[in-house]
Amino acid sequence: MTHRLYLDHAATTPMLPAARNAVLDGMARWANPSSPHAEGRAARAALEDARARIAAAYGWSHEVVLTSGASESLYIALRRSMAPRRLITAVEHDAVLRHGEGAAVLPVTQGGILDLDALRAALAPGMLVCTQWANSETGVIQPIARIAEIVREGGGKLLVDAAQMPARADMDVVRHADLIAVSAHKRGGPPGIGALLVRDFATLLPMGGQEKGYRAGTENLPGALGFVAALETPEPLASAAALRQRLEAAILASGGEIVAADQRRSPLIGAYRMPGVSSAAQLIRYDLAGIAVSAGSACASGSLRPSHVLSAMGWAEPGLREIVRVSFGRDTTGDDIDRFADLWRATAAEARARAA
């Protein structure tokens, strides 16, 4: 039987061997990092070393709050911000839409880029603006430096959801953001650990407990060590870009359509339309053939509602429901891409034959 092929890394990534080993090491350090005895102090030292290495991996020289993942990081940033109002883009992850309840929603272009004129018009001093680095469904990368310039001129603060960003993939995020949400399980680390990178704690209202009072709960030392190990394992972005180009050439040749083809996109994520075949039918076909892809964010793809991201970009029926997401990982190979492309071509050819 042909081995299963995993092309849904934007949902979660397999844990790297180095990360698994680091988690096991952390489990051997069983003491509570907040305890004052020798065992607790040793655990605290390991935790603070992990915190410093997480910051270094991203090129961050300010504060790091360890959390349970990017969703909690976004919750803290949005709900505990001292900002009087919040602005979010229409293509943000479901976690931002939930935690940013009451925020003004900014439109995007057909390419999925934040409408900068709308941002200028809506911005007022003290506001918190939340945008993603790259969209988890389409891979479209936001122009962080341009957005940050507008936010600064308007007297606001910038929060970036960087869950899909490999470490040091875009230093504009580190240079310009006031708050950055990151996650381990998107980068080959364990689930249940992430961080909120904070430029200045004065922008957040403390809530008591651990993490200098900005997050309650016993610290997850095994998770933090696993996060470090994953971040310190390089991601081959250049080879991923070549693989995506190879796949997209095959998709275009078979009558498919690339979502936001003319935009700067993450080399790890692509969204593709197969005319005449619903995304649900495609997913079943691929899964039965041993290939895992998705129809968008894992937090929303299990529902029957159409993608709010694609809707915000102007997609309408039937194209809105004919798009699947393919996302690459460290171990994705050219043979993997060819295997998926062969099945894509066969499925598209059958659809054309039915329509003839």
Side-chain angles (χ1 to χ4, degrees), residues 82-103:
M82 303 288 279
R85 285 193 61 205
R86 292 148 185 78
L87 300 174
I88 64 176
T89 82
V91 293
E92 294 303 310
H93 190 274
D94 277 6
V96 172
L97 301 183
R98 288 195 306 269
H99 303 325
E101 184 178 0

Side-chain angles (χ1 to χ4, degrees), residues 259-286:
V259 175
D262 58 345
Q263 300 298 324
R264 179 178 172 230
R265 292 174 291 140
S266 166
L268 302 172
I269 302 172
Y272 310 110
R273 179 193 176 197
M274 183 183 293
V277 185
S278 72
S279 56
Q282 290 183 63
L283 295 185
I284 292 171
R285 175 77 179 270
Y286 303 143

